[in-house]
Amino acid sequence: LAMFTSNIILSENDKTRAKEANILLLDEQDLTYYETLVTHIGPAARYQFLAEILPGKTVPNLEIRVPAIRARMGNSNCYTFSISPEYLLKIAYVSHRAKGKASDVNTYQRMLNKGRLSKIRQYIDDDGIFPTNIVLNLEKNKLCFRRSVQEENSSTEHGIAGWLDIKATYRCAWIIDGQHRLFAYSGHPRAQKSRVAVLAFEGLAPSEQARLFIDINAKQKSVKQSLLEELYAELH
């Protein structure tokens, strides 16, 4: 069960009893968060809610097999593959700081920007594509990689080709970077047939995920607006 409470202070004993009875307790702050999320991303908010109430729950027919390249990056395995946004929206999860829970020590993502989502949806309408990867962390016990047949002399230093089985559950794929690109497809007619490129790490600790998020967003150098305008003029 999921129970929303409002204007109630629960004792630790109440919280313990609820946990023992498998009841998820949500308060008015949670309700406000999910109502806001619905106005931002529409249908995909459902899967964010299911991820909270059914974490790790096996869902029939949610598993998938995709061709992938496995490589080592730093101390972690990572996989490169493409997938439909419609499917990824079901298993992806973002723990936003806007939820404001003191217990959310693993939270590092900012809340989605509605205006930015609208611009990306328009870009998709105009046949735009995203050549950059959505960066994920996949839970370690949800993956099974099967190497495909390769030439005997082929080197594994540049990656191993094979099939990646994702034994999916809600919340098994944590978004490190690219949440706006993904959630712009929520409810979009092209969500099923389009493909997005994914770089998925395996079993990264929350602290490592947060470090990657910081590196991606803090150490990139933006291109000057004057150069962008000059290039746009030359192209058109």
Side-chain angles (χ1 to χ4, degrees), residues 40-73:
H40 280 53
I41 66 175
R46 167 192 179 188
Y47 298 111
Q48 296 299 294
F49 180 65
L50 290 174
E52 180 153 358
I53 66 175
L54 299 170
K57 177 76 172 178
T58 300
V59 182
N61 302 319
L62 199 59
E63 57 277 326
I64 193 173
R65 172 177 288 183
V66 294
I69 301 293
R70 184 178 70 183
R72 293 287 293 180
M73 192 174 292

Side-chain angles (χ1 to χ4, degrees), residues 102-216:
S103 59
D104 287 343
V105 294
N106 300 332
T107 299
Y108 52 84
Q109 288 276 14
R110 59 196 181 280
M111 186 58 175
L112 290 151
N113 184 294
K114 196 172 183 178
R116 187 176 175 189
L117 286 168
S118 297
K119 290 179 180 178
I120 296 175
R121 288 191 183 107
Q122 183 59 54
Y123 178 73
I124 296 170
D125 289 338
D126 296 336
D127 299 324
I129 60 171
F130 302 105
T132 53
N133 290 322
I134 292 174
V135 184
L136 305 175
N137 177 67
L138 290 171
E139 293 183 10
K140 199 165 189 176
N141 60 348
K142 304 299 181 186
L143 302 177
C144 180
F145 182 78
R146 301 179 187 276
R147 179 175 177 170
S148 62
V149 178
Q150 291 179 282
E151 296 180 7
E152 292 184 3
N153 298 326
S154 62
S155 173
T156 61
E157 293 180 3
H158 304 298
I160 301 172
W163 293 92
L164 180 65
D165 291 316
I166 303 176
K167 303 171 185 178
T169 62
Y170 299 128
R171 199 174 178 166
C172 72
W174 288 64
I175 299 179
I176 297 173
D177 186 65
Q179 61 168 342
H180 284 88
R181 275 172 281 157
L182 177 60
F183 284 110
Y185 279 102
S186 176
H188 197 283
R190 299 190 182 187
Q192 183 179 16
K193 294 185 178 180
S194 295
R195 289 293 182 271
V196 290
V198 172
L199 174 64
F201 288 88
E202 180 181 2
L204 285 182
S207 59
E208 284 295 299
Q209 296 178 46
R211 184 184 63 80
L212 269 178
F213 174 80
I214 293 170
D215 289 347
I216 291 169

